[in-house]
Amino acid sequence: MNVDLHCHTNMSDGSLTPEQLVELANERALDILSITDHDTLDAYSAIKAIPPKLQLITGIEFSSQWRKQGVHIVGLNVDPLSESIIFGVAQQKKARLDRAEKIAERLSNLGFEGCLEGATLLADGQIGRPHFAQHLVNIGAVSNIKQAFKKYLGAGKVGDIKEQWAKTATVVEWIRESGGIAILAHPSKYKMTRTKLKALLTDFCSAGGEGMEVISGLQVPAVTRDLATLCNQYGLLASCGSDFHSPGMKWAALGLVSSLPDNCNPVWHRWA
Ligand code: AMP
Ligand code: MN
Ligand code: MN
Ligand code: MN
């Protein structure tokens, strides 16, 4: 099975249109794909035809807040017409717009004017920090996206504002109420201590979370083994995804996802 359950289009911070992404998934001979844009399901209304061999699972990647930390929760197989998901998406959209204004204000305090307008022009869908990063590159404030995050937008920098997101438990509830499965995204990217990660997993499970990503993009086998162990310890379903955003990023290429370790319980057995 060739499965990719985490990727982005230009409806959030990816570069391909939903149609182009589906075409690429078909070229890569994927069996199951979920497009998981940040806080939006808009990609799904833009797709007109699904290739016959591809199973497309409706998905979303919600930003959430756990304690003082930003945590991403993927919702798989959600019903896009359910009241709770519509409510959740609307709330997150507003949060993104409010946050964008705050980011722009903080950047303006540093002397960078017109950031809200610039980032808005770059965003085809949900506005996010990558659009501000690209704007900072465009005006010559930094030489590349990575530097924009390192200096202004990354963790602990002026443009990192986390307080607006819904609580992790609330996001899990939206996903469950819409018939979906809540998955903790890329657990190794939070740079948490073991104790903290376990506390997060405990809270996530009590809230009704059912799975975690054992594989996210290219990762070393030791990390995969470790995440598989944690996944089984908490009785969770295992997911895998590239976190693809745009062609050319080798560490997160669409469909380039290693197989799950044999001891894992793959989430797609729920619907495949
Ligand atoms: P946001 O959803 O607006 O909070 O922005 C987070 C997104 O920014 C992530 O999903 C990544 O796509 C991107 N991102 C985060 N950190 C970096 C970084 N250091 N360099 C490039 N992109 C990043
Ligand atoms: Mn992203
Ligand atoms: Mn993420
Ligand atoms: Mn992602």
Side-chain angles (χ1 to χ4, degrees), residues 54-186:
L54 182 69
Q55 189 177 6
L56 184 65
I57 300 292
T58 310
I60 188 163
E61 180 177 20
F62 278 121
S63 308
S64 79
Q65 197 191 331
W66 178 76
R67 296 189 179 168
K68 290 240 145 90
Q69 175 126 17
V71 165
H72 286 178
I73 305 293
V74 165
L76 293 177
N77 211 24
V78 295
D79 171 4
L81 299 177
S82 83
E83 245 174 64
S84 49
I85 214 81
I86 291 171
F87 172 84
V89 167
Q91 186 173 312
Q92 297 283 102
K93 186 171 192 170
K94 183 172 184 312
R96 276 196 176 265
L97 291 172
D98 290 348
R99 182 184 68 151
E101 281 180 17
K102 285 186 202 149
I103 294 175
E105 195 183 313
R106 290 187 178 187
L107 291 173
S108 145
N109 290 340
L110 295 176
F112 305 123
E113 299 298 343
C115 289
L116 185 59
E117 295 72 14
T120 302
L121 279 174
L122 292 167
D124 297 320
Q126 292 281 47
I127 190 167
R129 283 179 285 165
H131 305 111
F132 282 94
Q134 185 61 53
H135 175 73
L136 290 174
V137 173
N138 293 353
I139 62 172
V142 288
S143 50
N144 55 51
I145 302 270
K146 197 172 167 198
Q147 207 188 358
F149 272 91
K150 200 168 168 193
K151 286 179 87 167
Y152 303 114
L153 299 158
K157 304 298 171 189
V158 285
D160 175 35
I161 303 165
K162 301 180 285 280
E163 293 75 22
Q164 68 284 324
W165 305 127
K167 297 264 185 293
T168 301
T170 306
V171 166
V172 171
E173 202 178 308
W174 293 337
I175 294 168
R176 283 179 69 88
E177 283 177 354
S178 70
I181 300 174
I183 308 279
L184 178 65
H186 42 63

Side-chain angles (χ1 to χ4, degrees), residues 231-249:
C231 185
N232 288 332
Q233 268 174 8
Y234 284 82
L236 291 167
L237 298 165
S239 189
C240 64
S242 58
D243 209 354
F244 168 82
H245 281 72
S246 46
M249 291 166 105

Side-chain angles (χ1 to χ4, degrees), residues 64-73 162 168 184-204 226-227 230:
S64 79
Q65 197 191 331
W66 178 76
R67 296 189 179 168
K68 290 240 145 90
Q69 175 126 17
V71 165
H72 286 178
I73 305 293
K162 301 180 285 280
T168 301
L184 178 65
H186 42 63
S188 69
K189 304 242 168 83
Y190 304 120
K191 300 195 171 74
M192 288 180 184
T193 61
R194 194 68 170 181
T195 313
K196 202 164 175 193
L197 182 57
K198 286 186 157 184
L200 168 61
L201 281 165
T202 302
D203 286 358
F204 175 70
D226 183 46
L227 292 177
L230 266 181

